[in-house]
Amino acid sequence: MFRSVVRTTMTVALIGAATGAMAQTANYPNRPITLVLPFAAGSGTDTTTRLIAKELGTALNTTTVIDNKAGANGSIAASFVARAPADGYTLFVTTNTTHSANPYLLKTMNYDPIKDFTPIARTGDLPFMLVINPEIPANTVEELIALAKKNPGKYTYASGSSSAIVSGATFARLAGIDMLHVPYKSSPPAMTDVIAGRVSMMFTDVPTGLPHVNAKSLKALAVTTKYRSKIMPDLPTMDEAGVKGFDVTSWQGYLGPANLPKDIVVKLNAEIRKIVERPDIQKELAGRGMEAFSGTPEEFDAFLKDQLVVWQKLIEGAGIEKQ
């Protein structure tokens, strides 16, 4: 008799808890959603996320808050989200820096890029380009390589992300030139020093660099992707410019902490895809340097796992040692 009562009580409790959880997700969201970013305000990820976040808040009838947690190559932000409650109110908008490259760049990591996160939606690619201080007497990659070979050790490259680190090291190796690497927490301060001439060049995402290229405060020489960018079709690829085999692509996407409820993932994915696939939003994002597209959570999950292999090869091929 006692056992029967206990079992009945436990069953009622479990049903109640499950019903409560279903009610919470059914009413999602009922308070502001925080989007954590691994880079500083003004970075490519920041500028594109603010546009999507505004539309996402409207679609979900809530407020979206941007929380920039730059530093440690994005690890500060990644670790924060990995330990956040899996309730859909803390999300991570990130790139290959935290989820493809860091496992092969950092000796110590406080998060697992696969086990600690729930993929929600990929939102597109952020093409990178090689920009130099306009005082450098080179108008092509070939001319820049020739200058660097005549003056070994004279030229420097800045970085504010893993794509910039890997691109710079890959460029130096494939071109056979000696350059000093100058790391920064994020792209905007790195860009400032390239414009000022304190650093010679950098590989930067198009959203961060394009306004300065248009203002003639930087010179763009090539994009890092295998194919020309739809946003800057007249700019050659590094491969076309003579650095054969060069192909580095930066991606962007939304994730939540591990074990995010399926119905929340489905709801967020549906709304994000609607936003990203709108022609007006794609046009606006293109103006900010992002090639926007999306897909299912399952497709994003498979892509994340594949990119770990891609970036391992890139980093090992560039001869970059873990820091």
Side-chain angles (χ1 to χ4, degrees):
M1 180 70 174
F2 176 73
R3 289 180 182 176
S4 177
V5 171
V6 169
R7 288 193 186 117
T8 302
T9 303
M10 288 177 65
T11 301
V12 171
L14 289 170
I15 293 173
T19 303
M22 290 174 63
Q24 284 185 344
T25 56
N27 294 328
Y28 174 85
N30 55 28
R31 55 189 171 91
I33 297 172
T34 297
L35 302 178
V36 180
L37 275 62
F39 307 117
S43 64
T45 300
D46 177 80
T47 58
T48 54
T49 298
R50 288 181 186 276
L51 173 59
I52 298 174
K54 180 182 177 182
E55 297 296 327
L56 184 61
T58 300
L60 295 174
N61 194 30
T62 190
T63 301
T64 52
V65 180
I66 303 293
D67 184 5
N68 300 92
K69 292 186 180 297
N73 223 34
S75 292
I76 294 173
S79 298
F80 178 84
V81 176
R83 286 154 182 73
D87 55 11
Y89 292 98
T90 302
L91 305 178
F92 196 27
V93 186
T94 192
T95 70
N96 42 277
T97 287
T98 61
H99 276 64
S100 304
N102 275 356
Y104 312 107
L105 290 175
L106 306 179
K107 290 181 179 178
T108 303
M109 282 178 52
N110 295 320
Y111 67 94
D112 185 297
I114 301 300
K115 295 178 181 179
D116 291 341
F117 296 88
T118 302
I120 297 171
R122 187 178 172 195
T123 48
D125 288 341
L126 291 169
F128 268 57
M129 59 181 173
L130 172 59
V131 295
I132 64 174
N133 180 278
E135 297 299 318
I136 296 175
N139 294 308
T140 65
V141 173
E142 186 179 21
E143 291 175 356
L144 180 62
I145 293 172
L147 282 173
K149 286 186 175 180
K150 287 181 181 178
N151 304 276
K154 175 182 178 180
Y155 294 101
T156 55
Y157 69 95
S159 71
S161 68
S162 68
S163 292
I165 294 170
V166 174
S167 293
T170 300
F171 176 42
R173 181 182 63 83
L174 293 179
I177 55 179
D178 178 20
M179 294 193 301
L180 176 66
H181 175 211
V182 185
Y184 291 79
K185 280 187 176 182
S186 197
S187 293
M191 184 77 62
T192 298
D193 279 1
V194 176
I195 292 170
R198 288 185 282 271
V199 186
S200 310
M201 69 194 81
M202 71 178 292
F203 286 88
T204 183
D205 54 272
V206 172
T208 304
L210 190 56
H212 302 291
V213 172
N214 291 337
K216 309 298 183 184
S217 54
L218 287 172
K219 275 195 289 190
L221 300 187
V223 292
T224 65
T225 46
K226 184 177 182 179
Y227 303 104
R228 291 198 181 200
S229 169
K230 295 177 182 178
I231 300 164
M232 303 180 74
D234 295 331
L235 202 61
T237 66
M238 291 290 289
D239 185 88
E240 290 174 328
V243 188
K244 297 302 180 182
F246 199 107
D247 180 16
V248 179
T249 301
S250 178
W251 56 263
Q252 187 182 100
Y254 283 60
L255 301 101
N259 302 313
L260 193 63
K262 181 66 175 180
D263 53 345
I264 290 180
V265 173
V266 170
K267 187 170 189 175
L268 287 169
N269 177 269
E271 296 302 337
I272 291 170
R273 289 180 70 178
K274 286 179 188 176
I275 294 165
V276 170
E277 292 168 3
R278 278 168 44 187
D280 61 322
I281 295 298
Q282 290 195 341
K283 184 177 180 180
E284 280 200 59
L285 288 171
R288 302 184 188 196
M290 180 175 173
E291 296 179 0
F293 54 85
S294 194
T296 66
E298 292 76 19
E299 289 171 336
F300 189 27
D301 180 54
F303 175 79
L304 288 171
K305 293 170 182 173
D306 177 68
Q307 285 294 292
L308 282 170
V309 177
V310 170
W311 280 81
Q312 180 181 16
K313 292 179 179 178
L314 281 171
I315 291 166
E316 291 178 351
I320 303 172
E321 295 184 2
K322 287 188 176 184
Q323 300 296 317

